[in-house]
Amino acid sequence: MSLSDCKYGSNTHTDYTHSLHSLPMAENYGKRPVRTSFDVDTNLDIKWSLRNLRSISKVKVVSFLMGLTLTFLITASYILTWDRKGLLLTPSPYQLRPVVVLTSTAAAEAPSGNNLIDMKLLAKNISSKLEYIPRKVPDEKDVIGTDSNLFSVIPRHFLPGIKSPCWYEEFSSERSTDLYRRNLFTRRSKTFKTVCDHLRTNFQQHLFHRGSKVFRLRCLPYFYIIGQPKCGTTDLFHRLLLHPEVKFNTMKEPHWWTRKRFGYIRFKDGFQESFPVEDYLDLFDLAAQNIQEGISGNSSGDHRTLITGEASASTMWDNQAWSYLPSDREGTKPPFLAQDFIHTVQPGAKILIMLRDPVERLYSDYLYFKTANKSAEDFHQKVVNSVHLFQSCLSERSLRSCVYHTSLSNSMPVRLHLGMYIIFLLDWLTVFNREQILVLRLEDYAANLEVTIKKVFDFLSVGPMSQQGEAALTRRPLSNTRRTADRNLGPMLPATRDFLREFHKPFNHKLASVLDNKAFLWSNT
């Protein structure tokens, strides 16, 4: 996403020459004693009030104190349960004092003190906390126990001789009358509703008959593009659709594994309704029908090699839904991650990850999702506040706990944690083998599209494209580029960039080490 941000680069201003490696807090500024005085009449009124107060009956005083105590206890009970229940509007325990954002000149003249963000010290703290023991993967039976319907619908083994993970599901003729009409995805996507109308017209001819029973072919995605947001996933997905073996996809981002299966579209809107697994599988019926044609021999070419996929950019990192589910379990880390479920139903899945310089990713994310009053200065203020909130969390919790902490992420004015790629990647590597995960850089994708796409095709084991197909792929316009109004705002402040580079440096070093690729240091971006 936002491929053009990388392709055309970002110009930097030269007016700012000092980086904000330490930013003072505002608590010591403007403190003066305030004098208050009362005139003579006021003093008389107070004395008169005190005399009348003594005349109040003891019963009224006791009643007043009991009411006050009850109010205090009720208020305290709400405060104590807020964080555990994870309410969306719950104040974070990391609400901090306001942070003063200084200009480059002020930063050079800023006095030292105890209320500064010492980036070198913070980076050192992050580096030390990055050396942690990998998470304990939950037992398979516990994963299955959380959603018995999911694991009763999807079998443990798939059809041999077919590249995609497919199986036959017994089909009842009673269901043909309302086929796809109740699918919740059709209510939110006109494009998918049109696809379903097409699928419905020739559905019967794609059924498989065995004796007196009728079956339909069901398929899961062969590959998942799992993240990250604003890293080119949209452009990659749509170019993959130009390959003849991948073209039968209907929706890029269903967000089913992370949100919709729990009943959430946007967490800020609260619970709506859970999307059943059957609705998710319908998204891949277009591919399933074409694969069935290959099995039945009703098509030219071997459609058994067709694959399908999806590209929900939330799959890599978003596990917030667990915070909003009723549970007796306390803690800030989710008990299960999206990859636990994907791996349990589909241990051979192919995982694609697109990343970019986390500094540039955050600015692109800010410009894309914020709708009003955007500016480089506003972005800088939000970055500093977010870093300070994260620093406060680190003083109390582990690094991984802070990255997954829902209340903290809801409190941060920019999505700082999405650029901490290594935390999420390490968790994916606890269930999937390294050979099943391809990690790409948006910078490489933009600089040499043909080489990067070929790497993806090889990873997915799809055949080469024709010259005409390759030409169409390279000529395709960029997807989801930066809006003109956002481009006109210009790049982030140099001070902001320097500040974020220092913050992300330890995360990038660990990422480059795990991937054995120094390009992920983003030192030459």
Side-chain angles (χ1 to χ4, degrees), residues 393-419:
C393 181
L394 281 183
S395 67
E396 302 175 3
R397 303 179 184 273
S398 69
L399 179 59
R400 186 172 174 272
S401 175
C402 291
V403 171
Y404 282 109
H405 198 297
T406 297
S407 295
L408 175 61
S409 63
N410 288 341
S411 298
M412 289 194 291
V414 290
R415 302 198 294 179
L416 184 71
H417 60 299
L418 267 63

Side-chain angles (χ1 to χ4, degrees), residues 104-125:
S104 57
T105 303
E109 299 174 353
S112 59
N114 295 326
N115 296 320
L116 304 177
I117 298 179
D118 187 334
M119 282 306 301
K120 289 186 177 180
L121 182 61
L122 177 57
K124 184 177 180 180
N125 188 23

Side-chain angles (χ1 to χ4, degrees), residues 331-344:
T332 56
K333 290 177 286 189
F336 304 96
L337 302 179
Q339 55 264 41
D340 295 329
F341 295 90
I342 295 174
H343 183 266
T344 302

Side-chain angles (χ1 to χ4, degrees), residues 365-384:
D365 194 86
Y366 163 82
L367 293 176
Y368 186 81
F369 289 103
K370 185 172 171 58
T371 57
N373 302 319
K374 290 180 281 192
S375 69
E377 292 75 18
D378 179 69
F379 176 65
H380 183 85
Q381 174 75 66
K382 287 176 167 50
V383 165
V384 174

